[in-house]
Amino acid sequence: MVRPNDEVEALLQEYADLIAITGGEAFKARAYEKAARAIGGYPADVSHLDAAGLKEIPGVGTSIAEKVVEYLRTGHVTVVDERRARIPAGVRQLITIPTLGPKKAMALYENLHISSVNELADAITAEKLRDLRGFGEKTEENILHGIALMRQSRGRILLSTAMEAAEDVVAELSRIPGCEHCAYAGSLRRMKETVGDIDVLVAARRSAPFMDALTELPSTAEVIVHGGKKTSVRTAEGVQVDLRVVRPDAWGAGMQYFTGSKAHNIRTRTIAVHLGLKLSEYGLFDADGGERVASRSEDEVYARLGLPWIPPTLREDRGEIEAGLRGELPRVVTERDIRGDLHTHTDLTDGLTPLEEMVAAAAGRGYAYYAVTDHAPNLYMQRMTDEKILAQRERVRSLDGRHHGMRLLHGTELNIGPGGEVDWPDAFLQGFDLCVAAVHSHFNVGRRAMTRRLVRACENPRVNVIGHPTTRLLGKRPGVDADLDEVFAACARTGTALEINAQPDRLDLGDEDILRAKDHGARFAVDTDAHSIPQLAYLRYGVGTAQRGWLTPDDVINTWPLRRLRRFLRKDRTD
Ligand code: DGT
Ligand code: CA
Ligand code: CA
């Protein structure tokens, strides 16, 4: 849902860009930019304000307030439309390239009719820029570098990539004397499936040692800003890390603010205002006296707002504030609730590790049960046969209970064929303790056919879990086109669990689909689909995603005791 404030913010930001690009006064562009940010972050809905009310917002003067009123009344602003008509949208994109300012962008458009980043890259390759006044070989090189950086940084990074980088930074900074707390915040702490940049927070009396240390880390490739309040660097992998140092007594307020999300913060700030308080990254203050009433811990800040501590994975303004105020926040599933992994591979198919080693590693994680589910024969390159899988079953049975009582389930990962059929006949499937079934080919059969295919798989009495249900690959392949509501309803009706596949480039189902599926009454399995021992640890990303979908242990079949799980796996069959 787009809030009026966000709309106005986008409009003013666009106007600022248009001013800059058409050679308008720089101070005017900056003023609009500042007002845009102030309105975007303003707690009250601006569509309820008149010009006088708008002018209360810092940075909003008479002329800006008038334009906002015009926009709210008519849906557009004449002067913005006029500037828009002079400039194609693609040119605005040009000024977002690092090293390319508005003047150069305009020169490129006027002289070479370049109006997109791609056209610019092509023109440089064709050496068309060199003859332009103010451009030379060096400028071309800089622009190309800027384009590469922009393309890289626009692609958000996978949660796992960000997590690994952040944990390294946190470990390094935590060792510096004077560090009272150090943690990552932002979308990473909220376990979003992709992360724009990493936000790290330190609580210490002096900031300089931490700021300096970040710029000097071996992983740091480039220093973007080096300051006392904030330092930003880019790692060799192109990941941006923002570091802020707060006073130890403001740790909780800082973590609350920088964990976000922005939408969640707007809600907490509004609650503060209604209570006669002011909430910022420095603390919760009395609006009149300015006296600090809470800031040391997140707990304390939330409590003073009349809220329980809210798990970061829920902080998206998707109802967590209302639930918290009613005292009805869900008790979300955690890694410790997971009793076993129900989708894993060995070197019998495409895994890297022999069965015995995978089982030992699973036992090392303290699991009560563990399922081995290698690929079935219809995925031809895996060369599975009846003999091979039956021989594996013997090995699984002989290892069962050998690691402090951990029970082993022998399963398989079936292929859901174009018509919803699976690999083996029912009589053969009967021998498995559980079957995961997933789409691995024929992704574009059309919406109706794909829906029918997945529903048929659910209706198969031997299919227990739909593996990576949408088959999306983050940043590479969108999910399949299917009526997911129909599929989720079929899962609920037939007792088939939906997988939350924890592979970082899948995280499939994703949070929003989980919320929908839960509404249908479906159950879930949080599985790693591990192909090697280190991948067993991907579980955390699956659990984070499950939390973002508001799942409790009761929703997740692999938190259940084995007896309850086995009953679920029978799907009402009597054999
Ligand atoms: P990302 O990095 O795009 O994946 O997403 P975030 O959520 O990490 O966003 P980021 O890095 O821009 O800022 C970190 C947090 O700081 C954000 O979640 C909430 C807080 N924050 C940043 N800018 C604003 C703002 O303008 N208003 C409010 N209320 N909070 C903000
Ligand atoms: Ca961030
Ligand atoms: Ca940031």
Side-chain angles (χ1 to χ4, degrees):
M1 206 173 37
V2 182
R3 295 182 329 126
N5 294 33
D6 297 337
E7 267 177 51
V8 172
E9 175 179 5
L11 179 89
L12 296 181
Q13 180 60 52
E14 182 185 355
Y15 191 48
D17 290 349
L18 291 171
I19 294 169
I21 215 166
T22 47
E25 311 86 316
F27 76 88
K28 193 170 162 192
R30 272 201 303 275
Y32 275 93
E33 214 165 305
K34 220 173 128 207
R37 271 203 306 274
I39 288 176
Y42 197 65
D45 184 340
V46 291
S47 65
H48 301 318
L49 300 179
D50 58 12
L54 286 164
K55 281 162 69 181
E56 300 278 352
I57 302 173
V60 178
T62 308
S63 138
I64 294 179
E66 272 168 14
K67 290 186 182 67
V68 175
V69 168
E70 183 187 354
Y71 177 71
L72 293 171
R73 214 181 43 233
T74 67
H76 42 108
V77 179
T78 313
V79 290
V80 177
D81 289 347
E82 282 168 0
R83 293 235 187 200
R84 268 186 193 149
R86 285 159 56 191
I87 309 288
V91 180
R92 281 188 56 208
Q93 228 198 332
L94 295 181
I95 63 167
T96 60
I97 301 171
T99 78
L100 191 75
K103 278 213 185 75
K104 281 206 167 66
M106 203 55 198
L108 289 169
Y109 174 60
E110 279 175 347
N111 295 297
L112 299 172
H113 308 292
I114 292 172
S115 63
S116 77
V117 176
N118 286 341
E119 286 173 26
L120 176 55
D122 291 345
I124 294 174
T125 316
E127 302 187 352
K128 284 191 189 151
L129 259 59
R130 301 196 176 173
D131 306 325
L132 225 58
R133 194 141 45 97
F135 291 79
E137 266 182 68
K138 187 72 200 156
T139 332
E140 289 179 353
E141 216 175 279
N142 286 342
I143 294 173
L144 278 182
H145 178 66
I147 291 175
L149 263 181
M150 189 185 68
R151 286 186 172 151
Q152 205 177 26
S153 63
R154 211 188 308 143
R156 298 170 62 83
I157 50 170
L158 294 181
L159 175 59
S160 56
T161 310
M163 186 66 83
E164 284 161 22
E167 285 182 336
D168 283 349
V169 171
V170 168
E172 292 286 345
L173 299 182
S174 298
R175 289 201 305 220
I176 297 173
C179 177
E180 296 198 14
H181 300 280
C182 179
Y184 55 81
S187 53
L188 177 59
R189 185 165 177 236
R190 304 196 313 277
M191 298 287 266
K192 234 180 125 148
E193 62 200 26
T194 62
V195 167
D197 64 18
I198 297 170
D199 301 280
V200 175
L201 221 62
V202 162
R205 271 161 224 296
R206 292 183 52 230
S207 74
F210 300 92
M211 300 305 193
D212 295 347
L214 179 66
T215 64
E216 286 158 14
L217 287 183
S219 57
T220 294
E222 187 188 335
V223 177
I224 304 164
V225 199
H226 186 175
K229 277 181 73 177
K230 177 176 166 187
T231 292
S232 296
V233 303
R234 207 181 322 271
T235 70
E237 293 165 295
V239 184
Q240 182 173 330
V241 183
D242 292 348
L243 170 65
R244 292 158 179 106
V245 180
V246 300
R247 284 171 34 181
D249 61 4
W251 172 248
M255 282 300 280
Q256 200 281 328
Y257 182 88
F258 289 111
T259 295
S261 65
K262 194 174 163 187
H264 175 87
N265 285 358
I266 288 168
R267 296 295 308 278
T268 49
R269 244 191 299 165
T270 308
I271 294 176
V273 170
H274 287 309
L275 294 170
L277 301 168
K278 222 180 124 244
L279 179 60
S280 73
E281 64 263 53
Y282 305 110
L284 192 54
F285 300 90
D286 204 318
D288 301 328
E291 182 189 334
R292 188 198 305 250
V293 298
S295 64
R296 190 163 279 284
S297 69
E298 280 194 341
D299 250 337
E300 187 183 284
V301 172
Y302 279 111
R304 190 63 186 72
L305 296 174
L307 286 163
W309 180 83
I310 297 176
T313 45
L314 298 184
R315 300 184 195 172
E316 298 289 350
D317 191 21
R318 291 184 189 149
E320 75 280 7
I321 300 281
E322 291 77 3
L325 289 171
R326 288 197 308 269
E328 288 170 7
L329 273 182
R331 205 294 256 164
V332 289
V333 61
T334 66
E335 248 192 297
R336 288 191 17 216
D337 296 316
I338 302 290
R339 291 186 203 232
D341 203 326
L342 299 181
H343 181 178
T344 70
H345 295 275
T346 74
D347 63 358
L348 184 62
T349 53
D350 55 352
L352 300 175
T353 313
L355 172 69
E356 289 72 14
E357 292 172 33
M358 288 300 280
V359 168
R365 296 178 58 86
Y367 287 149
Y369 47 79
Y370 180 75
V372 179
T373 57
D374 272 317
H375 287 287
N378 292 355
L379 209 57
Y380 299 109
M381 66 275 195
Q382 305 301 339
R383 300 176 191 286
M384 180 54 82
T385 62
D386 294 9
E387 295 70 36
K388 277 160 80 174
I389 199 97
L390 291 174
Q392 184 187 56
R393 186 171 302 159
E394 292 312 307
R395 286 163 69 199
V396 166
R397 297 295 181 235
S398 73
L399 289 167
D400 187 15
R402 291 259 295 272
H403 293 276
H404 45 74
M406 183 178 80
R407 299 303 308 269
L408 292 180
L409 302 176
H410 189 236
T412 182
E413 178 179 6
L414 299 167
N415 304 288
I416 304 176
E421 69 284 3
V422 296
D423 308 59
W424 276 300
D426 191 74
F428 194 80
L429 294 179
Q430 205 173 328
F432 289 103
D433 298 316
L434 102 163
C435 296
V436 176
V439 169
H440 292 109
S441 61
H442 303 88
F443 299 111
N444 300 311
V445 294
R447 187 176 175 87
R448 292 256 323 269
M450 186 57 87
T451 307
R452 223 174 323 119
R453 183 179 177 187
L454 289 166
V455 169
R456 249 194 87 193
C458 293
E459 288 169 346
N460 185 322
R462 306 291 164 191
V463 169
N464 304 114
V465 177
I466 303 294
H468 42 76
T470 76
T471 78
R472 71 173 181 177
L473 290 177
L474 291 168
K476 293 210 183 88
R477 182 171 75 206
V480 292
D481 185 19
D483 182 344
L484 290 180
D485 284 302
E486 205 173 306
V487 175
F488 298 158
C491 283
R493 173 164 50 81
T494 58
T496 312
L498 285 154
E499 183 172 76
I500 298 171
N501 187 297
Q503 294 279 320
D505 61 345
R506 291 193 187 269
L507 294 178
D508 181 11
L509 291 180
D511 51 7
E512 291 184 5
D513 287 334
I514 296 170
L515 283 163
R516 268 164 75 192
K518 183 179 155 93
D519 263 351
H520 284 280
R523 306 282 195 185
F524 304 83
V526 183
D527 294 330
T528 65
D529 194 359
H531 286 64
S532 65
I533 289 171
Q535 293 192 353
L536 290 171
Y538 285 165
L539 187 72
R540 63 196 297 201
Y541 307 120
V543 169
T545 304
Q547 291 186 351
R548 293 177 58 83
W550 287 53
L551 297 191
T552 67
D554 191 53
D555 297 317
V556 178
I557 63 170
N558 51 324
T559 67
W560 298 351
L562 186 58
R563 275 175 64 104
R564 185 178 176 198
L565 174 63
R566 282 204 196 271
R567 233 179 301 134
F568 180 86
L569 296 178
R570 276 204 303 275
K571 290 186 93 168
D572 295 330
R573 289 189 316 258
T574 46
D575 56 38

